[in-house]
Coordinates of all heavy atoms in Angstrom, one line a residue:
E335 N -194.6 124.1 77.7 CA -195.2 123.4 76.6 C -194.3 123.0 75.5 O -194.4 121.9 74.9 CB -196.3 124.3 76.0 CG -197.5 124.6 76.9 CD -198.5 125.6 76.4 OE1 -198.2 126.1 75.3 OE2 -199.5 125.9 77.1
D336 N -193.3 123.9 75.2 CA -192.3 123.5 74.1 C -191.1 122.7 74.7 O -190.2 122.4 73.9 CB -192.0 124.7 73.3 CG -191.1 125.7 74.1 OD1 -190.4 125.4 75.0 OD2 -191.1 126.9 73.6
G337 N -191.1 122.5 76.0 CA -190.0 121.7 76.5 C -188.7 122.4 76.8 O -187.7 121.8 77.1
T338 N -188.7 123.7 76.7 CA -187.5 124.5 77.0 C -187.4 125.1 78.3 O -186.3 125.7 78.7 CB -187.3 125.6 75.9 OG1 -188.5 126.5 75.9 CG2 -187.2 125.0 74.5
V339 N -188.4 125.0 79.1 CA -188.4 125.5 80.5 C -189.1 124.4 81.4 O -190.0 123.8 81.0 CB -189.2 126.8 80.6 CG1 -189.4 127.2 82.1 CG2 -188.6 127.9 79.8
R340 N -188.5 124.3 82.6 CA -189.1 123.3 83.5 C -190.6 123.7 83.8 O -190.9 124.8 84.0 CB -188.3 123.4 84.8 CG -188.9 122.6 86.0 CD -188.1 122.7 87.2 NE -186.7 122.5 87.0 CZ -185.8 122.4 88.0 NH1 -186.1 122.6 89.2 NH2 -184.5 122.2 87.7
A341 N -191.4 122.6 83.9 CA -192.8 122.8 84.2 C -192.9 123.3 85.6 O -192.4 122.7 86.6 CB -193.6 121.5 84.0
L342 N -193.7 124.4 85.8 CA -193.8 125.0 87.2 C -195.3 124.9 87.7 O -196.2 125.0 86.9 CB -193.4 126.4 87.1 CG -191.9 126.7 86.6 CD1 -191.8 128.1 86.2 CD2 -191.0 126.3 87.7
S343 N -195.4 124.7 89.0 CA -196.8 124.5 89.5 C -197.5 125.9 89.5 O -198.8 125.9 89.4 CB -196.7 123.9 90.9 OG -196.0 124.8 91.8
D344 N -196.8 127.0 89.6 CA -197.5 128.3 89.7 C -196.6 129.3 88.9 O -195.8 130.0 89.5 CB -197.6 128.7 91.2 CG -198.4 130.0 91.3 OD1 -198.7 130.7 90.3 OD2 -198.8 130.3 92.5
P345 N -196.7 129.3 87.6 CA -195.9 130.2 86.8 C -196.0 131.7 87.2 O -195.0 132.5 87.1 CB -196.4 130.0 85.4 CG -197.0 128.6 85.4 CD -197.6 128.5 86.8
E346 N -197.2 132.1 87.6 CA -197.4 133.5 87.9 C -196.6 133.9 89.2 O -195.9 135.0 89.2 CB -198.9 133.8 88.2 CG -199.8 133.9 87.0 CD -200.0 132.6 86.3 OE1 -199.9 131.5 87.0 OE2 -200.4 132.5 85.1
T347 N -196.6 133.1 90.2 CA -195.8 133.3 91.4 C -194.3 133.3 91.1 O -193.5 134.1 91.5 CB -196.2 132.4 92.5 OG1 -197.5 132.6 92.9 CG2 -195.3 132.6 93.7

Side-chain angles (χ1 to χ4, degrees):
E335 292 172 359
D336 68 23
T338 56
V339 173
R340 176 182 305 189
L342 301 162
S343 59
D344 188 347
E346 285 73 20
T347 297

